[in-house]
Amino acid sequence: MAEPPLFSAKAHVFEIDPGTKRAWLPASRHAVPVSCYFDPARAAYRLISSDGGKVIVNSTVTPGMTFTKTSQKFGQWVDGRANTVYGLGFSSEQHLAKFAEKFREVCEAARAARERLETEGSGGGAGGGGSPRSRRGRQDSIGSDQTSSQHPGVCASSSMGSVDSSGTAGPGIGGGATGGLSSGGSETDTDIRQENERLKTALAQSVSGARRLEGEAHALRGAHSAATEEMGALRQRVADLERRESEEREREGERGAERVAELERRVCQLETSLREKDQELELLRLQLEDSREMERERESEREAALLKLQESEEKAELLQARVSELELGACDERGRAARLAACLARLDECAAALAGARHGLAALTSGNPTKC
C-alpha cells in the first residue's frame, strides 16, 4: 500500500497448522515488520506482513477480534475470514504489550467505523423517504412553480376561484360589470364571455396539473412504501448478521477455551519435559565438572612429565658433553697406545736382536771354551 502504516512492529510470525490446529508453523525466517493499514475504499483496517516479497499475513481487523497474550513474549489472534490463527513472537514483553494495545485501539476504530456506516445508512434512508405529507408538499410546490411558469393565467384563476368560493367577490364582480354596462357600457357581453372562457381554460389546466401532481404524489408514496419495506428488510438482515456474528463469537470463544485448555495441557507437558531436561543438564554439568577435574589432573601429570623431560634433556646434554670428553680422552689414549705399540715393536726388535746376540754368544762360548 502507498499510504504509511498506522503502526508497525517487528516479530516472528507463526500460523496454526491447518491439519492439526494445534502446532505452530513458522511463517517467517526471522523477525519481520507487521504493519496496520487503513483501506479507505472498503473502510477497513488490515494487518499485513511480508517476508522476502511474499505476503505471509493479510488479515482484516473486525470489531470482534481479540489479541490474546499466551506467554510473556507471544500472542495470537483468530482470523475467521481466513479460517486460521496467527501468532507473533516478540523480542520483549514491552513490545508485546504495545502491540496488544494498538490492536485493541484498531478494533475499537473498526467498531466505530461500522457503527458510523450503519448510522449513515439509516439516516440516508430516512432522509430520502421522509413523510408522505412533506414529500407531497415539496412536490406540490415544485409542480405549482412549473405550472405557473408554463401557464401564466393559472395564478389568476386560482385566486379568483378561491375568492369566488367565499361567496363575496364573485357576485360583486358580476354586479360591478352589470352596473358598468347599465351606467356607461364600458364592457360588452362579448368581452365578459371571452374572459370567462379564458378563466375556465386556465382552471381546467390547473385541475389537470393538480391531478398530475396527485398521481406523482401517489407514485412517490408507493416508492416510499417500497423503500420502507426495503429498509425493514435491511434492518432484519443487519439483525441476522449481528446474531450470526454473536453466535460466531460464542463459537470462537468456545474454540478458544478448548485451545486454551489444550495449550495448558501442552504447557504442563513442556514443563515436565523441561524438568527432565534440567535434570539431564545437571547430570551433564556434574559429568563436565568430573571431566574438568580429570583434565586438571592430566594437566598436572603432563606438567610433571615435562619437568622430568626437561631434567632428562639436561642430563642427556651433560652425558653428551661427558661422552665428548671421553671420546677426546679415548683419542688421546689411542694415540698413546699407538706410540706404546711402536715402542713395544722396537723393544721386540731389540729383544730379538739381543736374543740373537745372546744365541751367538752362547754358540761362541760353546765352540771355543778355552778362549773364553
Side-chain angles (χ1 to χ4, degrees), residues 22-162:
R22 294 182 179 180
W24 288 106
L25 300 178
S28 63
R29 294 169 293 181
H30 48 78
V32 295
V34 181
S35 305
C36 179
Y37 294 90
F38 178 70
D39 187 359
R42 298 182 179 181
Y45 294 87
R46 289 181 176 273
L47 288 173
I48 296 177
S49 178
S50 61
D51 185 12
K54 177 183 177 183
V55 177
I56 55 179
V57 175
N58 187 3
S59 178
T60 302
V61 179
T62 59
M65 281 188 177
T66 56
F67 186 77
T68 305
K69 177 182 175 183
T70 57
S71 66
Q72 291 183 350
K73 299 181 182 180
F74 192 85
Q76 66 183 31
W77 78 93
V78 179
D79 190 342
R81 296 184 179 181
N83 193 21
T84 187
V85 182
Y86 293 106
L88 298 180
F90 294 88
S91 59
S92 66
E93 188 174 0
Q94 291 77 12
H95 292 163
L96 173 61
K98 186 176 180 181
F99 183 86
E101 179 65 21
K102 293 293 184 181
F103 191 96
R104 187 185 62 78
E105 292 177 0
V106 169
C107 290
E108 292 294 335
R111 183 179 292 106
R114 173 178 289 184
E115 292 176 354
R116 185 167 60 253
L117 288 175
E118 292 176 355
T119 304
E120 290 176 356
S122 301
S131 64
R133 181 173 298 178
S134 62
R135 286 199 317 222
R136 183 177 178 180
R138 289 194 299 269
Q139 293 296 331
D140 291 344
S141 64
I142 294 171
S144 300
D145 295 339
Q146 292 175 351
T147 306
S148 63
S149 63
Q150 293 175 358
H151 306 285
V154 172
C155 295
S157 65
S158 299
S159 62
M160 290 180 68
S162 62

Side-chain angles (χ1 to χ4, degrees), residues 78 110 119 134 166 221 239 326 332 334:
V78 179
T119 304
S134 62
S166 64
R221 282 194 293 271
L326 292 175
D332 295 339
R334 282 195 293 273

